[in-house]
Amino acid sequence: MYQLTIEQSFDSAHFLAGYNGKCGNIHGHRWRVLLSVESETLRDDRQQRGMCVDFSTLKDVLKDIVDEYDHTLLIEEGSLQQKTLDVFAEEGFPVVELAFRPTAENFAKHFYDIVKAKGYQVAMVQVYETPNNCAAYRE
């Protein structure tokens, strides 16, 4: 089995609604996302002969996904009052409302599902919230 791993990153703020501790406050991270895909065979066409998939193609796929979250405030739907969201909007601060709590674990599965839906054979997605803390998802 062949496996490729590429990395992209994005900067954003988040908080964990209902969390009793520092992470219940708005704070930021440089999120690192490592995407691993796998293949039992290598391509045989002229352009990609000897490759599972072109690294640059895979990097672009992941970059397009994570760029949606770059320099935003990531929140779980329903975790802020509408008047707070209105003030953020009036001030021009981008807020991304998610259907899940914005944890590294949930982002790992979220990115896995998106890339898999694009037709890639995803082996695993790892999401680093800090240089020393990582969550991973694989089926």
Side-chain angles (χ1 to χ4, degrees), residues 3 10 15 19 31-32 40 42 48 59 64 83 88 101 113 118 129:
Q3 188 172 47
F10 64 99
F15 71 96
Y19 184 83
W31 304 82
R32 286 180 55 222
E40 291 186 16
L42 298 178
Q48 295 186 29
K59 284 175 66 175
D64 287 345
K83 62 185 174 184
F88 279 131
R101 197 175 197 199
D113 290 343
K118 292 181 179 292
E129 208 177 70

Side-chain angles (χ1 to χ4, degrees), residues 10-113:
F10 64 99
D11 299 301
S12 68
H14 78 144
F15 71 96
L16 302 178
Y19 184 83
N20 186 18
K22 289 181 183 180
C23 292
N25 296 318
I26 295 175
H27 61 285
H29 294 288
R30 167 157 280 249
W31 304 82
R32 286 180 55 222
V33 182
L34 282 75
L35 166 64
S36 297
V37 297
E38 59 189 12
S39 177
E40 291 186 16
T41 60
L42 298 178
R43 304 223 10 188
D44 197 25
D45 60 274
R46 181 180 170 113
Q47 176 71 14
Q48 295 186 29
R49 186 165 42 92
M51 300 178 183
C52 298
V53 64
D54 190 315
F55 275 114
S56 63
T57 301
L58 197 57
K59 284 175 66 175
D60 289 346
V61 166
L62 186 57
K63 183 172 179 11
D64 287 345
I65 295 166
V66 302
D67 276 356
E68 178 182 340
Y69 306 104
D70 193 39
H71 287 82
T72 65
L73 171 59
L74 305 169
I75 65 165
E76 183 177 12
E77 290 173 350
S79 63
L80 289 177
Q81 295 179 21
Q82 187 58 50
K83 62 185 174 184
T84 304
L85 293 172
D86 292 342
V87 169
F88 279 131
E90 287 173 22
E91 294 292 336
F93 294 127
V95 176
V96 176
E97 291 187 86
L98 303 162
F100 55 87
R101 197 175 197 199
T103 63
E105 295 90 338
N106 283 331
F107 270 118
K109 181 165 187 330
H110 178 66
F111 295 141
Y112 181 103
D113 290 343

